[in-house]
């Protein structure tokens, strides 16, 4: 079975601006895949390339093995898209909007009406079925976008920031619904700014920045790439000069040592396995330890580290010079080499 | 071609204008009552028959039918495409598995239907003022379908190239209407000096109005003013050329959809 999404060296240029840079990504059938990245990272451009709203400049893109340009009908038939924008037909009541959309996908009229009712019930706005889109509240509009994506019974559901600006209850409702869909076998591609959302829902996530893929990993793998902080409270306070001395002494495993009153904070790769050694080293140096706490780097901090870079516009010329000098996928601005970059086309 | 998807889009497009008669059918009905009342009854009563045996009101009807048909076909297609682009709901169509040809034919077909309905409304309004008998029914229907589709096809291009609503107004008011008004709607080409007759032959609207007039009244200016050799077959030659032009315009529409002109980034 071909992957749900497969892109190879996908490029999109807007004049001199490169929105996607040799992006190679694979999403397997049945996966719940997250696409993370700051604004302007190219997430929506990537999605729109798959559904035909953006024409690629180069590379390949396939949906369930169908090329998005030469076999666009098959590719589009497999996709249900809930976009960021409220791009809904304002002329008709929402139920008819859904019937039309199902019809465009070849669903006969009677079946389309039945499906429209079903998805409106599923997203919880059935009682608004005769209203026009403009009369719905913000949360209901978001639900309708999801209903419209579902009415065609897609094999691949693409959700472009579906929970942006929605209240907590709706966010949880949406999470529950998309999890159900994924459990039923629908492949899901989710873009989001909310790290918690990706961590909670996704089997794997890709982090994008400036049109490039920075990395692809499971949320747990990503978190393992971050550093931990061991906070050691001592019986007596320590001076700041001690921190510098300790950083030298503990150089073998400590990335950074800082002090705050009677607490030492030591940043290490793996807090759990390093803590006993740290305690021994401190006791050997005469420190009396009162308490110890280990905190892991959050996925959000890792994400920020990975996407931290200079504010620069990527152009064809700058991309070319980057290509000449370095591997494109490694030019990520990632911190301290902590990010394991993807060298292969397949994630 | 008549897939479920095509029928769904065609139906949606037709429902959009059918459910808004106040915006789509009432204005041309009222406008044409005024045309017939003022130009036909009040002024027309003082004007000699432009063509022997055909009174002025009767002479007006084919031109006004054409004017109503093509302007509504154009307006419907251009509005539908542009409004869909403006509010981005055309994405519902663009992200569907419909082929580009199906999309275009559905938009063109529905807009042509609106144009034809308005054409019939104008004819009915005209019938209130003067009896009409159709002389060449099949030819009339064929010509009406072709010109409605042609201007729906032009409307698609208009909707794709427009950058704002003003552009649509400009196309309708400053291009379409002048060509129609100088297209022998209100006068016969035989009333013009020879030089203006030849200048008029450069206006494509002249052929459309003349063909519809031939279909409805059995009279064609072309039989009198067109160059010898063409004059004899004029209405049929016009229909053939217009059919070819319509096919070319629709092919251009499909091409523009395929490359995503005005539709995709």
């Amino acid at each position: 079975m071909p992957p749900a999404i497969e892109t190879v060296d996908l490029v999109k240029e807007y004049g001199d601006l490169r929105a996607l840079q040799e992006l190679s990504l694979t999403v397997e059938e049945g996966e719940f895949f997250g696409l993370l990245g700051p604004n302007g990272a190219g997430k929506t451009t990537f999605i729109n390339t798959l559904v035909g709203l953006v024409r690629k400049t180069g590379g390949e893109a396939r949906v369930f093995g169908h090329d998005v340009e030469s076999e666009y009908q098959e590719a589009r038939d497999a996709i249900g898209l809930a976009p960021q924008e409220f791009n809904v037909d304002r002329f008709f009541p929402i139920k008819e909007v859904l019937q039309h959309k199902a019809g465009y996908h070849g669903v006969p009229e009677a079946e389309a009406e039945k499906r429209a009712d079903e998805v409106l019930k599923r997203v919880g706005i059935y009682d608004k079925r005769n209203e026009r889109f403009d009369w719905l509240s913000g949360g209901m509009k978001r639900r309708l976008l999801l209903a419209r994506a579902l009415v065609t019974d897609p094999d691949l559901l693409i959700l472009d920031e579906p929970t942006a600006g929605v209240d907590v209850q709706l966010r949880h409702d949406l999470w529950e619904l998309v999890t159900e869909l994924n459990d039923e076998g629908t492949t899901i591609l989710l873009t989001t700014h909310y790290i918690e959302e990706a961590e909670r829902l996704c089997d794997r996530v890709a982090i994008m920045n400036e049109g490039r893929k920075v990395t692809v990993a499971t949320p747990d793998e990503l978190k393992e790439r971050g550093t931990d902080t061991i906070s050691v409270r001592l019986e007596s306070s320590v001076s700041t000069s001690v921190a510098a001395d300790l950083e030298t002494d503990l150089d073998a495993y400590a990335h950074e040592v800082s002090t705050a009153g009677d607490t030492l904070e030591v940043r290490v790769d793996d807090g759990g396995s390093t803590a006993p050694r740290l305690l021994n080293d401190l006791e050997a140096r005469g420190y009396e330890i009162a308490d110890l706490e280990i905190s892991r780097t959050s996925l959000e901090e890792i994400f920020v580290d990975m996407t931290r870079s200079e504010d620069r516009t990527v152009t064809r010329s700058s991309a070319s010079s980057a290509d000449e000098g370095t591997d494109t996928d490694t030019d990520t601005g990632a911190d301290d080499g902590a990010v394991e970059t993807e060298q292969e086309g397949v994630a | 071609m008549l897939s479920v998807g095509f029928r769904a889009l065609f139906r949606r497009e037709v429902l959009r204008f059918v459910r808004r008669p106040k915006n789509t059918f009432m204005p041309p009905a009222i406008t044409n009552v005024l045309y017939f009342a003022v130009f036909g009854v009040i002024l027309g009563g003082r004007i000699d028959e432009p063509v022997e045996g055909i009174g002025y009101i009767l002479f007006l009807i084919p031109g006004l039918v054409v004017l109503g048909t093509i302007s509504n076909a154009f307006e419907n297609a251009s509005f539908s495409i542009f409004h869909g682009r403006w509010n981005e709901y055309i994405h519902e169509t663009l992200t569907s598995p419909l082929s580009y040809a199906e999309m275009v034919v559905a938009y063109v077909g529905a807009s042509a239907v609106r144009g034809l309905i308005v054409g019939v409304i104008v004819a009915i309004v005209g019938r209130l003022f003067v009896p009409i008998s159709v002389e060449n029914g099949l030819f009339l229907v064929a010509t009406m379908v072709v010109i409605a589709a042609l201007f729906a096809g032009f409307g698609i291009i208009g909707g794709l190239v427009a950058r704002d609503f003003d552009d649509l107004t400009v196309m309708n008011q400053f291009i379409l209407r002048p060509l129609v008004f100088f297209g022998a709607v209100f006068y016969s080409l035989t009333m013009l000096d020879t030089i203006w007759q030849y200048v008029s032959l450069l206006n494509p609207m002249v052929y459309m109005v003349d063909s519809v007039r031939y279909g409805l009244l059995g009279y064609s200016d072309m039989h009198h003013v067109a160059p010898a050799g063409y004059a004899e077959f004029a209405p049929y030659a016009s229909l053939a050329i217009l059919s070819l032009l319509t096919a070319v315009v629709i092919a251009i529409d499909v091409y523009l959809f395929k490359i995503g002109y005005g539709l995709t980034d």
Side-chain angles (χ1 to χ4, degrees):
Chain A
M1 192 70 185
I5 300 171
E6 186 178 27
T7 65
V8 180
D9 295 333
L10 189 62
V11 174
K12 175 60 189 176
E13 293 172 350
Y14 294 102
D16 200 33
L17 178 76
R18 281 198 143 198
L20 294 178
Q21 305 195 65
E22 292 92 24
L23 185 66
S24 297
L25 201 63
T26 300
V27 176
E28 298 298 342
E29 190 190 2
E31 247 190 320
F32 201 131
F33 194 91
L35 209 50
L36 302 178
N39 287 330
K43 304 185 297 294
T44 300
T45 302
F46 175 72
I47 287 170
N48 285 346
T49 305
L50 301 177
V51 297
L53 297 176
V54 164
R55 299 292 155 87
K56 64 186 168 69
T57 309
E60 295 170 27
R62 285 180 287 274
V63 173
F64 292 108
H66 301 293
D67 186 272
V68 298
E69 290 192 354
S70 63
E71 298 171 288
Y72 65 94
Q73 291 178 267
E74 291 85 353
R76 291 175 197 174
D77 198 26
I79 301 174
L81 169 67
Q84 282 182 55
E85 308 81 24
F86 293 138
N87 60 352
V88 176
D89 189 345
R90 263 82 164 168
F91 281 104
F92 294 91
I94 58 171
K95 180 178 168 181
E96 283 189 61
V97 170
L98 299 181
Q99 287 175 246
H100 294 155
K101 182 60 176 166
Y104 304 158
H105 282 250
V107 180
E109 219 171 305
E111 170 69 13
E113 186 176 2
K114 197 174 125 203
R115 281 204 204 174
D117 284 338
E118 280 170 8
V119 292
L120 284 169
K121 284 174 188 166
R122 192 160 192 182
V123 301
I125 53 171
Y126 180 70
D127 57 334
K128 300 288 178 188
R129 62 192 178 282
N130 295 320
E131 299 283 346
R132 299 231 177 123
F133 183 74
D134 287 330
W135 299 109
L136 302 182
S137 68
M140 288 177 184
K141 285 177 176 170
R142 205 43 83 186
R143 287 171 194 261
L144 178 68
L145 290 181
L146 183 58
R148 191 182 60 180
L150 295 179
V151 78
T152 61
D153 193 17
D155 295 323
L156 170 61
L157 177 63
I158 300 180
L159 307 166
D160 195 1
E161 299 189 15
T163 55
V166 304
D167 63 39
V168 177
Q169 179 61 48
L170 174 55
R171 188 176 301 174
H172 282 262
D173 286 353
L174 290 175
W175 285 352
E176 200 175 313
L177 178 54
V178 292
T179 304
E180 258 176 46
L181 290 165
N182 185 237
D183 291 343
E184 290 165 12
T186 307
T187 307
I188 296 181
L189 175 66
L190 168 81
T191 77
T192 181
H193 283 303
Y194 301 112
I195 311 299
E196 182 201 353
E197 192 163 82
E199 193 173 359
R200 178 174 179 148
L201 299 172
C202 298
D203 300 323
R204 288 193 304 153
V205 296
I207 293 182
M208 286 180 68
N209 194 31
E210 296 177 339
R212 298 175 196 275
K213 178 182 67 183
V214 176
T215 191
V216 178
T218 66
D220 285 341
E221 283 169 355
L222 278 179
K223 282 200 287 189
E224 281 169 15
R225 293 179 193 177
T227 54
D228 295 344
T229 301
I230 304 174
S231 301
V232 184
R233 193 161 62 78
L234 304 172
E235 291 295 353
S236 56
S237 48
V238 287
S239 66
T240 49
S241 61
V242 170
D245 295 342
L246 278 172
E247 197 161 302
T248 310
D249 292 349
L250 308 177
D251 182 49
Y253 55 87
H255 296 299
E256 189 183 351
V257 179
S258 57
T259 59
D262 60 354
T263 304
L264 269 177
E265 289 194 338
V266 184
R267 198 157 63 82
V268 299
D269 283 334
D270 182 353
S273 61
T274 311
R277 186 176 173 188
L278 175 65
L279 294 182
N280 287 339
D281 286 346
L282 289 175
E283 281 170 352
R285 284 165 178 76
Y287 294 103
E288 287 183 50
I289 292 152
D291 194 14
L292 176 139
E293 188 181 309
I294 302 171
S295 56
R296 301 198 71 177
T297 310
S298 70
L299 195 56
E300 188 160 322
E301 287 167 307
I302 294 166
F303 170 76
V304 170
D305 273 352
M306 285 183 169
T307 56
R308 181 184 294 147
S309 60
E310 293 172 24
D311 182 17
R312 63 190 171 92
T313 302
V314 182
T315 63
R316 269 187 290 191
S317 51
S318 67
S320 306
S321 55
D323 290 349
E324 285 163 19
T326 62
D327 184 300
T328 53
D329 273 348
T330 60
D331 182 23
T332 61
D335 183 51
D336 294 334
V339 181
E340 182 190 341
T341 53
E342 294 294 327
Q343 302 293 331
E344 302 298 326
V346 177
Chain B
M1 178 59 81
L2 294 176
S3 66
V4 172
F6 167 82
R7 279 184 275 135
L9 181 57
F10 179 81
R11 183 171 175 275
R12 184 261 169 211
E13 286 297 302
V14 170
L15 285 176
R16 189 190 66 77
F17 65 74
V18 166
R19 288 191 187 167
R20 282 162 191 78
K22 278 192 293 187
N23 300 97
T24 53
F25 299 134
M26 289 293 284
I30 292 168
T31 304
N32 279 279
V33 167
L34 296 175
Y35 276 141
F36 285 118
V38 175
F39 293 113
V41 179
I42 300 172
L43 295 178
R46 297 160 189 260
I47 297 173
D48 293 336
E49 288 179 351
V51 176
E52 197 177 335
I54 301 176
Y56 191 59
I57 297 181
L58 192 57
F59 183 82
L60 277 182
I61 290 173
L64 293 177
V65 165
V66 171
L67 176 60
T69 300
I70 65 174
S71 54
N72 275 273
F74 181 89
E75 187 184 315
N76 192 80
S78 58
F79 177 83
S80 203
I81 296 293
F82 183 72
H83 195 260
R85 287 174 58 212
W86 187 263
N87 289 298
E88 296 189 331
Y89 64 79
I90 200 167
H91 292 178
E92 291 180 358
T93 313
L94 298 177
T95 59
S96 77
L98 286 163
S99 72
Y100 299 121
E102 285 176 315
M103 293 179 200
V104 166
V105 175
Y107 283 118
V108 167
S111 298
V113 167
R114 174 169 160 188
L116 290 170
I117 291 173
V118 170
V120 170
I121 289 172
V122 175
I124 291 169
V125 171
R127 177 65 187 81
L128 300 177
F129 290 85
V130 64
I132 308 170
S133 61
V134 176
E135 294 295 324
N136 301 298
L138 203 58
F139 181 84
L140 176 65
V141 170
T143 304
M144 288 295 294
V145 168
V146 167
I147 63 173
L150 174 60
F151 277 84
F154 279 134
I156 299 283
I157 297 173
L160 290 174
V161 300
R163 286 161 300 172
D164 53 41
F165 282 99
D166 289 342
D167 287 347
L168 296 184
T169 308
V170 166
M171 289 176 206
N172 204 3
Q173 296 295 334
F174 296 105
I175 301 173
L176 211 56
R177 281 181 187 266
L179 285 174
V180 172
F181 272 70
F182 285 111
V185 171
F186 297 100
Y187 53 84
S188 165
L189 292 180
T190 57
M191 297 163 74
L192 302 177
D193 292 339
T194 309
I195 181 73
W196 289 113
Q197 287 179 357
Y198 281 106
V199 170
S200 295
L201 293 178
L202 298 175
N203 180 356
M205 301 295 172
V206 165
Y207 301 90
M208 297 177 211
V209 173
D210 189 71
S211 292
V212 172
R213 189 170 284 137
Y214 177 74
L216 201 61
L217 309 180
Y219 169 80
S220 167
D221 271 345
M222 291 296 168
H223 289 147
H224 305 283
V225 302
Y230 182 79
E232 193 181 345
F233 312 101
Y236 295 94
S238 296
L239 179 57
I241 293 167
L242 288 170
S243 301
L244 187 65
L245 183 60
T246 303
V248 170
V249 170
I250 290 175
I252 292 170
D253 291 342
V254 174
Y255 174 73
L256 292 176
F257 264 67
K258 188 176 179 186
I259 63 169
Y261 185 89
L263 296 169
T264 62
D265 292 327

